[in-house]
PDB file of all heavy atoms in Angstrom:
ATOM      1  N   ARG A   1      -2.272   7.920 -30.291  1.00 98.00           N
ATOM      2  CA  ARG A   1      -0.836   8.117 -30.536  1.00 98.00           C
ATOM      3  C   ARG A   1      -0.613   8.845 -31.863  1.00 98.00           C
ATOM      4  O   ARG A   1       0.238   9.736 -31.959  1.00 98.00           O
ATOM      5  CB  ARG A   1      -0.104   6.780 -30.552  1.00 98.00           C
ATOM      6  CG  ARG A   1       0.044   6.144 -29.185  1.00 98.00           C
ATOM      7  CD  ARG A   1       1.024   4.978 -29.192  1.00 98.00           C
ATOM      8  NE  ARG A   1       1.111   4.386 -27.881  1.00 98.00           N
ATOM      9  CZ  ARG A   1       0.385   3.330 -27.491  1.00 98.00           C
ATOM     10  NH1 ARG A   1      -0.466   2.768 -28.340  1.00 98.00           N
ATOM     11  NH2 ARG A   1       0.508   2.852 -26.272  1.00 98.00           N
ATOM     12  N   ALA A   2      -1.377   8.465 -32.868  1.00 98.00           N
ATOM     13  CA  ALA A   2      -1.240   9.118 -34.173  1.00 98.00           C
ATOM     14  C   ALA A   2      -1.684  10.574 -34.101  1.00 98.00           C
ATOM     15  O   ALA A   2      -1.078  11.451 -34.733  1.00 98.00           O
ATOM     16  CB  ALA A   2      -2.055   8.364 -35.224  1.00 98.00           C
ATOM     17  N   LEU A   3      -2.721  10.855 -33.335  1.00 98.00           N
ATOM     18  CA  LEU A   3      -3.173  12.233 -33.161  1.00 98.00           C
ATOM     19  C   LEU A   3      -2.119  13.061 -32.431  1.00 98.00           C
ATOM     20  O   LEU A   3      -1.870  14.220 -32.790  1.00 98.00           O
ATOM     21  CB  LEU A   3      -4.495  12.247 -32.387  1.00 98.00           C
ATOM     22  CG  LEU A   3      -5.136  13.624 -32.157  1.00 98.00           C
ATOM     23  CD1 LEU A   3      -5.526  14.288 -33.478  1.00 98.00           C
ATOM     24  CD2 LEU A   3      -6.365  13.490 -31.248  1.00 98.00           C
ATOM     25  N   TYR A   4      -1.497  12.468 -31.439  1.00 98.00           N
ATOM     26  CA  TYR A   4      -0.406  13.147 -30.711  1.00 98.00           C
ATOM     27  C   TYR A   4       0.750  13.466 -31.662  1.00 98.00           C
ATOM     28  O   TYR A   4       1.250  14.598 -31.692  1.00 98.00           O
ATOM     29  CB  TYR A   4       0.051  12.247 -29.566  1.00 98.00           C
ATOM     30  CG  TYR A   4       1.281  12.719 -28.818  1.00 98.00           C
ATOM     31  CD1 TYR A   4       1.239  13.857 -28.018  1.00 98.00           C
ATOM     32  CD2 TYR A   4       2.486  12.015 -28.902  1.00 98.00           C
ATOM     33  CE1 TYR A   4       2.371  14.280 -27.312  1.00 98.00           C
ATOM     34  CE2 TYR A   4       3.605  12.421 -28.207  1.00 98.00           C
ATOM     35  CZ  TYR A   4       3.541  13.556 -27.418  1.00 98.00           C
ATOM     36  OH  TYR A   4       4.661  13.983 -26.735  1.00 98.00           O
ATOM     37  N   ARG A   5       1.152  12.491 -32.469  1.00 98.00           N
ATOM     38  CA  ARG A   5       2.235  12.729 -33.425  1.00 98.00           C
ATOM     39  C   ARG A   5       1.829  13.767 -34.463  1.00 98.00           C
ATOM     40  O   ARG A   5       2.647  14.610 -34.868  1.00 98.00           O
ATOM     41  CB  ARG A   5       2.622  11.419 -34.113  1.00 98.00           C
ATOM     42  CG  ARG A   5       3.283  10.397 -33.206  1.00 98.00           C
ATOM     43  CD  ARG A   5       3.919   9.275 -34.002  1.00 98.00           C
ATOM     44  NE  ARG A   5       2.926   8.502 -34.743  1.00 98.00           N
ATOM     45  CZ  ARG A   5       2.347   7.402 -34.279  1.00 98.00           C
ATOM     46  NH1 ARG A   5       2.642   6.944 -33.075  1.00 98.00           N
ATOM     47  NH2 ARG A   5       1.464   6.753 -35.025  1.00 98.00           N
ATOM     48  N   MET A   6       0.573  13.731 -34.882  1.00 99.00           N
ATOM     49  CA  MET A   6       0.082  14.725 -35.843  1.00 99.00           C
ATOM     50  C   MET A   6       0.198  16.132 -35.277  1.00 99.00           C
ATOM     51  O   MET A   6       0.662  17.059 -35.960  1.00 99.00           O
ATOM     52  CB  MET A   6      -1.389  14.427 -36.186  1.00 99.00           C
ATOM     53  CG  MET A   6      -2.034  15.425 -37.142  1.00 99.00           C
ATOM     54  SD  MET A   6      -3.796  15.670 -36.817  1.00 99.00           S
ATOM     55  CE  MET A   6      -3.726  16.855 -35.440  1.00 99.00           C
ATOM     56  N   ASN A   7      -0.243  16.301 -34.037  1.00 98.00           N
ATOM     57  CA  ASN A   7      -0.197  17.627 -33.426  1.00 98.00           C
ATOM     58  C   ASN A   7       1.235  18.133 -33.268  1.00 98.00           C
ATOM     59  O   ASN A   7       1.508  19.324 -33.479  1.00 98.00           O
ATOM     60  CB  ASN A   7      -0.915  17.612 -32.074  1.00 98.00           C
ATOM     61  CG  ASN A   7      -2.419  17.716 -32.206  1.00 98.00           C
ATOM     62  OD1 ASN A   7      -2.924  18.564 -32.937  1.00 98.00           O
ATOM     63  ND2 ASN A   7      -3.148  16.866 -31.507  1.00 98.00           N
ATOM     64  N   LEU A   8       2.132  17.237 -32.907  1.00 98.00           N
ATOM     65  CA  LEU A   8       3.540  17.629 -32.808  1.00 98.00           C
ATOM     66  C   LEU A   8       4.055  18.106 -34.164  1.00 98.00           C
ATOM     67  O   LEU A   8       4.697  19.158 -34.274  1.00 98.00           O
ATOM     68  CB  LEU A   8       4.382  16.457 -32.315  1.00 98.00           C
ATOM     69  CG  LEU A   8       4.234  16.048 -30.848  1.00 98.00           C
ATOM     70  CD1 LEU A   8       5.039  14.788 -30.577  1.00 98.00           C
ATOM     71  CD2 LEU A   8       4.665  17.181 -29.916  1.00 98.00           C
ATOM     72  N   ALA A   9       3.776  17.341 -35.197  1.00 98.00           N
ATOM     73  CA  ALA A   9       4.269  17.681 -36.536  1.00 98.00           C
ATOM     74  C   ALA A   9       3.618  18.945 -37.076  1.00 98.00           C
ATOM     75  O   ALA A   9       4.235  19.693 -37.846  1.00 98.00           O
ATOM     76  CB  ALA A   9       4.022  16.516 -37.489  1.00 98.00           C
ATOM     77  N   ALA A  10       2.363  19.204 -36.677  1.00 98.00           N
ATOM     78  CA  ALA A  10       1.638  20.366 -37.177  1.00 98.00           C
ATOM     79  C   ALA A  10       1.976  21.643 -36.422  1.00 98.00           C
ATOM     80  O   ALA A  10       1.551  22.727 -36.828  1.00 98.00           O
ATOM     81  CB  ALA A  10       0.135  20.109 -37.105  1.00 98.00           C
ATOM     82  N   GLY A  11       2.723  21.537 -35.315  1.00 98.00           N
ATOM     83  CA  GLY A  11       3.100  22.717 -34.555  1.00 98.00           C
ATOM     84  C   GLY A  11       2.054  23.191 -33.574  1.00 98.00           C
ATOM     85  O   GLY A  11       2.125  24.322 -33.069  1.00 98.00           O
ATOM     86  N   VAL A  12       1.069  22.344 -33.275  1.00 98.00           N
ATOM     87  CA  VAL A  12       0.002  22.707 -32.337  1.00 98.00           C
ATOM     88  C   VAL A  12       0.599  22.939 -30.950  1.00 98.00           C
ATOM     89  O   VAL A  12       1.528  22.247 -30.532  1.00 98.00           O
ATOM     90  CB  VAL A  12      -1.079  21.602 -32.325  1.00 98.00           C
ATOM     91  CG1 VAL A  12      -2.051  21.785 -31.171  1.00 98.00           C
ATOM     92  CG2 VAL A  12      -1.822  21.588 -33.659  1.00 98.00           C
ATOM     93  N   ASP A  13       0.046  23.911 -30.235  1.00 98.00           N
ATOM     94  CA  ASP A  13       0.624  24.322 -28.948  1.00 98.00           C
ATOM     95  C   ASP A  13       0.122  23.510 -27.764  1.00 98.00           C
ATOM     96  O   ASP A  13       0.853  23.289 -26.799  1.00 98.00           O
ATOM     97  CB  ASP A  13       0.308  25.803 -28.708  1.00 98.00           C
ATOM     98  CG  ASP A  13       0.844  26.691 -29.815  1.00 98.00           C
ATOM     99  OD1 ASP A  13       2.073  26.901 -29.853  1.00 98.00           O
ATOM    100  OD2 ASP A  13       0.042  27.150 -30.659  1.00 98.00           O
ATOM    101  N   PHE A  14      -1.151  23.088 -27.817  1.00 99.00           N
ATOM    102  CA  PHE A  14      -1.750  22.309 -26.736  1.00 99.00           C
ATOM    103  C   PHE A  14      -2.566  21.172 -27.348  1.00 99.00           C
ATOM    104  O   PHE A  14      -3.271  21.372 -28.331  1.00 99.00           O
ATOM    105  CB  PHE A  14      -2.708  23.158 -25.886  1.00 99.00           C
ATOM    106  CG  PHE A  14      -2.055  24.263 -25.100  1.00 99.00           C
ATOM    107  CD1 PHE A  14      -1.864  25.509 -25.674  1.00 99.00           C
ATOM    108  CD2 PHE A  14      -1.661  24.065 -23.785  1.00 99.00           C
ATOM    109  CE1 PHE A  14      -1.279  26.541 -24.954  1.00 99.00           C
ATOM    110  CE2 PHE A  14      -1.076  25.088 -23.054  1.00 99.00           C
ATOM    111  CZ  PHE A  14      -0.878  26.329 -23.642  1.00 99.00           C
ATOM    112  N   MET A  15      -2.483  19.986 -26.731  1.00 99.00           N
ATOM    113  CA  MET A  15      -3.369  18.886 -27.107  1.00 99.00           C
ATOM    114  C   MET A  15      -4.167  18.476 -25.885  1.00 99.00           C
ATOM    115  O   MET A  15      -3.601  18.166 -24.830  1.00 99.00           O
ATOM    116  CB  MET A  15      -2.575  17.689 -27.630  1.00 99.00           C
ATOM    117  CG  MET A  15      -3.469  16.499 -27.960  1.00 99.00           C
ATOM    118  SD  MET A  15      -2.541  15.123 -28.695  1.00 99.00           S
ATOM    119  CE  MET A  15      -3.790  13.816 -28.617  1.00 99.00           C
ATOM    120  N   GLU A  16      -5.493  18.489 -26.045  1.00 99.00           N
ATOM    121  CA  GLU A  16      -6.377  18.138 -24.932  1.00 99.00           C
ATOM    122  C   GLU A  16      -6.722  16.656 -24.987  1.00 99.00           C
ATOM    123  O   GLU A  16      -7.163  16.153 -26.024  1.00 99.00           O
ATOM    124  CB  GLU A  16      -7.645  18.988 -24.991  1.00 99.00           C
ATOM    125  CG  GLU A  16      -8.494  18.887 -23.745  1.00 99.00           C
ATOM    126  CD  GLU A  16      -9.363  20.107 -23.575  1.00 99.00           C
ATOM    127  OE1 GLU A  16     -10.313  20.285 -24.378  1.00 99.00           O
ATOM    128  OE2 GLU A  16      -9.103  20.900 -22.658  1.00 99.00           O
ATOM    129  N   PHE A  17      -6.539  15.978 -23.842  1.00 98.00           N
ATOM    130  CA  PHE A  17      -6.691  14.536 -23.792  1.00 98.00           C
ATOM    131  C   PHE A  17      -8.035  14.073 -23.237  1.00 98.00           C
ATOM    132  O   PHE A  17      -8.216  12.886 -22.998  1.00 98.00           O
ATOM    133  CB  PHE A  17      -5.550  13.917 -22.979  1.00 98.00           C
ATOM    134  CG  PHE A  17      -4.357  13.570 -23.829  1.00 98.00           C
ATOM    135  CD1 PHE A  17      -3.504  14.561 -24.295  1.00 98.00           C
ATOM    136  CD2 PHE A  17      -4.105  12.262 -24.191  1.00 98.00           C
ATOM    137  CE1 PHE A  17      -2.415  14.250 -25.098  1.00 98.00           C
ATOM    138  CE2 PHE A  17      -3.021  11.939 -24.991  1.00 98.00           C
ATOM    139  CZ  PHE A  17      -2.175  12.933 -25.451  1.00 98.00           C
ATOM    140  N   GLY A  18      -8.975  14.959 -23.051  1.00 98.00           N
ATOM    141  CA  GLY A  18     -10.294  14.544 -22.587  1.00 98.00           C
ATOM    142  C   GLY A  18     -10.691  15.258 -21.320  1.00 98.00           C
ATOM    143  O   GLY A  18     -10.199  16.355 -21.004  1.00 98.00           O
ATOM    144  N   TYR A  19     -11.607  14.640 -20.594  1.00 98.00           N
ATOM    145  CA  TYR A  19     -12.102  15.158 -19.307  1.00 98.00           C
ATOM    146  C   TYR A  19     -11.464  14.405 -18.153  1.00 98.00           C
ATOM    147  O   TYR A  19     -11.114  13.229 -18.284  1.00 98.00           O
ATOM    148  CB  TYR A  19     -13.611  14.971 -19.199  1.00 98.00           C
ATOM    149  CG  TYR A  19     -14.456  15.876 -20.047  1.00 98.00           C
ATOM    150  CD1 TYR A  19     -14.951  15.441 -21.270  1.00 98.00           C
ATOM    151  CD2 TYR A  19     -14.802  17.156 -19.619  1.00 98.00           C
ATOM    152  CE1 TYR A  19     -15.766  16.256 -22.049  1.00 98.00           C
ATOM    153  CE2 TYR A  19     -15.608  17.978 -20.389  1.00 98.00           C
ATOM    154  CZ  TYR A  19     -16.083  17.526 -21.596  1.00 98.00           C
ATOM    155  OH  TYR A  19     -16.881  18.331 -22.368  1.00 98.00           O
ATOM    156  N   ARG A  20     -11.349  15.038 -17.022  1.00 98.00           N
ATOM    157  CA  ARG A  20     -11.020  14.355 -15.769  1.00 98.00           C
ATOM    158  C   ARG A  20     -12.340  14.208 -15.004  1.00 98.00           C
ATOM    159  O   ARG A  20     -12.593  14.916 -14.030  1.00 98.00           O
ATOM    160  CB  ARG A  20      -9.970  15.157 -14.992  1.00 98.00           C
ATOM    161  CG  ARG A  20      -9.461  14.492 -13.694  1.00 98.00           C
ATOM    162  CD  ARG A  20      -8.695  13.212 -13.936  1.00 98.00           C
ATOM    163  NE  ARG A  20      -7.541  13.352 -14.824  1.00 98.00           N
ATOM    164  CZ  ARG A  20      -6.311  13.718 -14.424  1.00 98.00           C
ATOM    165  NH1 ARG A  20      -6.094  14.011 -13.148  1.00 98.00           N
ATOM    166  NH2 ARG A  20      -5.330  13.781 -15.310  1.00 98.00           N
ATOM    167  N   ALA A  21     -13.196  13.304 -15.473  1.00 98.00           N
ATOM    168  CA  ALA A  21     -14.522  13.133 -14.891  1.00 98.00           C
ATOM    169  C   ALA A  21     -14.456  12.263 -13.639  1.00 98.00           C
ATOM    170  O   ALA A  21     -13.562  11.428 -13.476  1.00 98.00           O
ATOM    171  CB  ALA A  21     -15.475  12.519 -15.914  1.00 98.00           C
ATOM    172  N   ASP A  22     -15.429  12.465 -12.777  1.00 98.00           N
ATOM    173  CA  ASP A  22     -15.523  11.761 -11.505  1.00 98.00           C
ATOM    174  C   ASP A  22     -16.089  10.358 -11.733  1.00 98.00           C
ATOM    175  O   ASP A  22     -17.211  10.201 -12.210  1.00 98.00           O
ATOM    176  CB  ASP A  22     -16.434  12.552 -10.561  1.00 98.00           C
ATOM    177  CG  ASP A  22     -16.486  11.956  -9.157  1.00 98.00           C
ATOM    178  OD1 ASP A  22     -15.875  10.897  -8.917  1.00 98.00           O
ATOM    179  OD2 ASP A  22     -17.160  12.567  -8.294  1.00 98.00           O
ATOM    180  N   LYS A  23     -15.332   9.334 -11.393  1.00 97.00           N
ATOM    181  CA  LYS A  23     -15.775   7.960 -11.609  1.00 97.00           C
ATOM    182  C   LYS A  23     -16.909   7.553 -10.685  1.00 97.00           C
ATOM    183  O   LYS A  23     -17.567   6.532 -10.920  1.00 97.00           O
ATOM    184  CB  LYS A  23     -14.592   6.997 -11.460  1.00 97.00           C
ATOM    185  CG  LYS A  23     -13.572   7.124 -12.580  1.00 97.00           C
ATOM    186  CD  LYS A  23     -12.505   6.057 -12.476  1.00 97.00           C
ATOM    187  CE  LYS A  23     -11.554   6.130 -13.679  1.00 97.00           C
ATOM    188  NZ  LYS A  23     -10.520   5.087 -13.609  1.00 97.00           N
ATOM    189  N   LYS A  24     -17.172   8.337  -9.668  1.00 97.00           N
ATOM    190  CA  LYS A  24     -18.327   8.054  -8.807  1.00 97.00           C
ATOM    191  C   LYS A  24     -19.616   8.557  -9.464  1.00 97.00           C
ATOM    192  O   LYS A  24     -20.705   8.122  -9.110  1.00 97.00           O
ATOM    193  CB  LYS A  24     -18.129   8.695  -7.434  1.00 97.00           C
ATOM    194  CG  LYS A  24     -17.008   8.077  -6.618  1.00 97.00           C
ATOM    195  CD  LYS A  24     -16.979   8.575  -5.193  1.00 97.00           C
ATOM    196  CE  LYS A  24     -16.478  10.008  -5.088  1.00 97.00           C
ATOM    197  NZ  LYS A  24     -15.059  10.130  -5.420  1.00 97.00           N
ATOM    198  N   GLN A  25     -19.482   9.471 -10.427  1.00 98.00           N
ATOM    199  CA  GLN A  25     -20.654  10.000 -11.112  1.00 98.00           C
ATOM    200  C   GLN A  25     -20.892   9.344 -12.474  1.00 98.00           C
ATOM    201  O   GLN A  25     -22.034   9.308 -12.953  1.00 98.00           O
ATOM    202  CB  GLN A  25     -20.502  11.508 -11.330  1.00 98.00           C
ATOM    203  CG  GLN A  25     -20.469  12.334 -10.061  1.00 98.00           C
ATOM    204  CD  GLN A  25     -20.466  13.823 -10.366  1.00 98.00           C
ATOM    205  OE1 GLN A  25     -21.263  14.305 -11.160  1.00 98.00           O
ATOM    206  NE2 GLN A  25     -19.557  14.543  -9.736  1.00 98.00           N
ATOM    207  N   PHE A  26     -19.821   8.854 -13.104  1.00 98.00           N
ATOM    208  CA  PHE A  26     -19.931   8.304 -14.454  1.00 98.00           C
ATOM    209  C   PHE A  26     -19.455   6.853 -14.460  1.00 98.00           C
ATOM    210  O   PHE A  26     -18.395   6.538 -13.927  1.00 98.00           O
ATOM    211  CB  PHE A  26     -19.102   9.129 -15.435  1.00 98.00           C
ATOM    212  CG  PHE A  26     -19.572  10.563 -15.561  1.00 98.00           C
ATOM    213  CD1 PHE A  26     -19.005  11.561 -14.790  1.00 98.00           C
ATOM    214  CD2 PHE A  26     -20.590  10.886 -16.443  1.00 98.00           C
ATOM    215  CE1 PHE A  26     -19.439  12.877 -14.899  1.00 98.00           C
ATOM    216  CE2 PHE A  26     -21.033  12.187 -16.562  1.00 98.00           C
ATOM    217  CZ  PHE A  26     -20.456  13.193 -15.784  1.00 98.00           C
ATOM    218  N   ASP A  27     -20.257   5.991 -15.075  1.00 97.00           N
ATOM    219  CA  ASP A  27     -19.963   4.564 -15.138  1.00 97.00           C
ATOM    220  C   ASP A  27     -18.791   4.316 -16.098  1.00 97.00           C
ATOM    221  O   ASP A  27     -18.897   4.590 -17.300  1.00 97.00           O
ATOM    222  CB  ASP A  27     -21.213   3.824 -15.620  1.00 97.00           C
ATOM    223  CG  ASP A  27     -21.066   2.307 -15.573  1.00 97.00           C
ATOM    224  OD1 ASP A  27     -19.927   1.818 -15.447  1.00 97.00           O
ATOM    225  OD2 ASP A  27     -22.096   1.615 -15.686  1.00 97.00           O
ATOM    226  N   VAL A  28     -17.706   3.795 -15.571  1.00 96.00           N
ATOM    227  CA  VAL A  28     -16.513   3.579 -16.392  1.00 96.00           C
ATOM    228  C   VAL A  28     -16.761   2.545 -17.481  1.00 96.00           C
ATOM    229  O   VAL A  28     -16.016   2.483 -18.467  1.00 96.00           O
ATOM    230  CB  VAL A  28     -15.304   3.153 -15.527  1.00 96.00           C
ATOM    231  CG1 VAL A  28     -14.934   4.263 -14.562  1.00 96.00           C
ATOM    232  CG2 VAL A  28     -15.596   1.859 -14.781  1.00 96.00           C
ATOM    233  N   ASN A  29     -17.804   1.731 -17.334  1.00 97.00           N
ATOM    234  CA  ASN A  29     -18.109   0.719 -18.338  1.00 97.00           C
ATOM    235  C   ASN A  29     -18.883   1.285 -19.522  1.00 97.00           C
ATOM    236  O   ASN A  29     -19.097   0.584 -20.520  1.00 97.00           O
ATOM    237  CB  ASN A  29     -18.916  -0.417 -17.704  1.00 97.00           C
ATOM    238  CG  ASN A  29     -18.133  -1.157 -16.632  1.00 97.00           C
ATOM    239  OD1 ASN A  29     -16.986  -1.538 -16.848  1.00 97.00           O
ATOM    240  ND2 ASN A  29     -18.738  -1.338 -15.471  1.00 97.00           N
ATOM    241  N   LYS A  30     -19.310   2.541 -19.425  1.00 98.00           N
ATOM    242  CA  LYS A  30     -20.095   3.159 -20.492  1.00 98.00           C
ATOM    243  C   LYS A  30     -19.307   4.188 -21.291  1.00 98.00           C
ATOM    244  O   LYS A  30     -19.850   4.789 -22.221  1.00 98.00           O
ATOM    245  CB  LYS A  30     -21.342   3.817 -19.895  1.00 98.00           C
ATOM    246  CG  LYS A  30     -22.329   2.830 -19.297  1.00 98.00           C
ATOM    247  CD  LYS A  30     -23.571   3.525 -18.761  1.00 98.00           C
ATOM    248  CE  LYS A  30     -24.574   2.515 -18.207  1.00 98.00           C
ATOM    249  NZ  LYS A  30     -25.785   3.173 -17.667  1.00 98.00           N
ATOM    250  N   PHE A  31     -18.051   4.397 -20.923  1.00 98.00           N
ATOM    251  CA  PHE A  31     -17.229   5.403 -21.592  1.00 98.00           C
ATOM    252  C   PHE A  31     -15.823   4.872 -21.811  1.00 98.00           C
ATOM    253  O   PHE A  31     -15.319   4.043 -21.039  1.00 98.00           O
ATOM    254  CB  PHE A  31     -17.144   6.689 -20.758  1.00 98.00           C
ATOM    255  CG  PHE A  31     -18.458   7.357 -20.520  1.00 98.00           C
ATOM    256  CD1 PHE A  31     -19.177   7.140 -19.355  1.00 98.00           C
ATOM    257  CD2 PHE A  31     -18.996   8.228 -21.469  1.00 98.00           C
ATOM    258  CE1 PHE A  31     -20.390   7.763 -19.131  1.00 98.00           C
ATOM    259  CE2 PHE A  31     -20.210   8.864 -21.259  1.00 98.00           C
ATOM    260  CZ  PHE A  31     -20.914   8.622 -20.090  1.00 98.00           C
ATOM    261  N   GLY A  32     -15.179   5.392 -22.853  1.00 98.00           N
ATOM    262  CA  GLY A  32     -13.765   5.130 -23.052  1.00 98.00           C
ATOM    263  C   GLY A  32     -12.937   5.888 -22.022  1.00 98.00           C
ATOM    264  O   GLY A  32     -13.427   6.777 -21.314  1.00 98.00           O
ATOM    265  N   LYS A  33     -11.655   5.548 -21.952  1.00 98.00           N
ATOM    266  CA  LYS A  33     -10.822   6.070 -20.859  1.00 98.00           C
ATOM    267  C   LYS A  33     -10.574   7.564 -20.936  1.00 98.00           C
ATOM    268  O   LYS A  33     -10.221   8.185 -19.931  1.00 98.00           O
ATOM    269  CB  LYS A  33      -9.495   5.318 -20.797  1.00 98.00           C
ATOM    270  CG  LYS A  33      -8.660   5.370 -22.063  1.00 98.00           C
ATOM    271  CD  LYS A  33      -7.473   4.412 -21.910  1.00 98.00           C
ATOM    272  CE  LYS A  33      -6.708   4.252 -23.189  1.00 98.00           C
ATOM    273  NZ  LYS A  33      -5.617   3.248 -23.064  1.00 98.00           N
ATOM    274  N   TRP A  34     -10.801   8.187 -22.117  1.00 98.00           N
ATOM    275  CA  TRP A  34     -10.514   9.621 -22.208  1.00 98.00           C
ATOM    276  C   TRP A  34     -11.621  10.477 -21.611  1.00 98.00           C
ATOM    277  O   TRP A  34     -11.477  11.688 -21.515  1.00 98.00           O
ATOM    278  CB  TRP A  34     -10.192  10.004 -23.649  1.00 98.00           C
ATOM    279  CG  TRP A  34      -9.086   9.135 -24.156  1.00 98.00           C
ATOM    280  CD1 TRP A  34      -9.153   8.172 -25.105  1.00 98.00           C
ATOM    281  CD2 TRP A  34      -7.740   9.101 -23.652  1.00 98.00           C
ATOM    282  NE1 TRP A  34      -7.945   7.545 -25.239  1.00 98.00           N
ATOM    283  CE2 TRP A  34      -7.054   8.092 -24.358  1.00 98.00           C
ATOM    284  CE3 TRP A  34      -7.056   9.826 -22.670  1.00 98.00           C
ATOM    285  CZ2 TRP A  34      -5.709   7.805 -24.122  1.00 98.00           C
ATOM    286  CZ3 TRP A  34      -5.722   9.537 -22.430  1.00 98.00           C
ATOM    287  CH2 TRP A  34      -5.063   8.529 -23.150  1.00 98.00           C
ATOM    288  N   LYS A  35     -12.704   9.831 -21.168  1.00 98.00           N
ATOM    289  CA  LYS A  35     -13.691  10.534 -20.346  1.00 98.00           C
ATOM    290  C   LYS A  35     -13.077  10.877 -18.988  1.00 98.00           C
ATOM    291  O   LYS A  35     -13.473  11.840 -18.336  1.00 98.00           O
ATOM    292  CB  LYS A  35     -14.921   9.640 -20.143  1.00 98.00           C
ATOM    293  CG  LYS A  35     -15.985  10.176 -19.196  1.00 98.00           C
ATOM    294  CD  LYS A  35     -16.823  11.248 -19.825  1.00 98.00           C
ATOM    295  CE  LYS A  35     -18.014  11.617 -18.937  1.00 98.00           C
ATOM    296  NZ  LYS A  35     -18.831  12.693 -19.543  1.00 98.00           N
ATOM    297  N   PHE A  36     -12.078  10.099 -18.600  1.00 98.00           N
ATOM    298  CA  PHE A  36     -11.467  10.242 -17.277  1.00 98.00           C
ATOM    299  C   PHE A  36     -10.012  10.708 -17.355  1.00 98.00           C
ATOM    300  O   PHE A  36      -9.470  11.174 -16.365  1.00 98.00           O
ATOM    301  CB  PHE A  36     -11.577   8.915 -16.517  1.00 98.00           C
ATOM    302  CG  PHE A  36     -12.982   8.362 -16.537  1.00 98.00           C
ATOM    303  CD1 PHE A  36     -13.350   7.367 -17.440  1.00 98.00           C
ATOM    304  CD2 PHE A  36     -13.951   8.871 -15.694  1.00 98.00           C
ATOM    305  CE1 PHE A  36     -14.643   6.874 -17.482  1.00 98.00           C
ATOM    306  CE2 PHE A  36     -15.256   8.393 -15.732  1.00 98.00           C
ATOM    307  CZ  PHE A  36     -15.606   7.402 -16.635  1.00 98.00           C
ATOM    308  N   ALA A  37      -9.405  10.563 -18.506  1.00 98.00           N
ATOM    309  CA  ALA A  37      -8.072  11.102 -18.811  1.00 98.00           C
ATOM    310  C   ALA A  37      -7.118  11.042 -17.619  1.00 98.00           C
ATOM    311  O   ALA A  37      -6.608  12.061 -17.150  1.00 98.00           O
ATOM    312  CB  ALA A  37      -8.206  12.546 -19.311  1.00 98.00           C
ATOM    313  N   GLU A  38      -6.865   9.840 -17.161  1.00 98.00           N
ATOM    314  CA  GLU A  38      -5.981   9.677 -16.007  1.00 98.00           C
ATOM    315  C   GLU A  38      -4.524   9.871 -16.414  1.00 98.00           C
ATOM    316  O   GLU A  38      -4.137   9.612 -17.556  1.00 98.00           O
ATOM    317  CB  GLU A  38      -6.187   8.294 -15.381  1.00 98.00           C
ATOM    318  CG  GLU A  38      -7.578   8.130 -14.768  1.00 98.00           C
ATOM    319  CD  GLU A  38      -7.721   6.824 -14.029  1.00 98.00           C
ATOM    320  OE1 GLU A  38      -7.051   5.833 -14.429  1.00 98.00           O
ATOM    321  OE2 GLU A  38      -8.491   6.777 -13.060  1.00 98.00           O
TER     322      GLU A  38
END
């Protein structure tokens, strides 16, 4: 949330929230949610 607010205040044009990775290929218990960026 702080990074999102920072980017807004800094005038950044795009903020990337991670990967949309396939949960059948990657164990959701081994990664934080931004590996899947739902």
Side-chain angles (χ1 to χ4, degrees):
R1 287 192 181 94
L3 182 63
Y4 173 69
R5 292 193 296 267
M6 178 213 81
N7 279 313
L8 288 174
V12 168
D13 302 286
F14 294 88
M15 177 176 168
E16 191 156 70
F17 270 75
Y19 287 98
R20 184 65 57 86
D22 185 357
K23 291 186 175 181
K24 293 189 287 292
Q25 295 186 48
F26 297 94
D27 186 345
V28 297
N29 296 312
K30 294 182 178 179
F31 299 96
K33 58 188 172 184
W34 306 111
K35 174 77 171 179
F36 310 99
E38 294 186 330

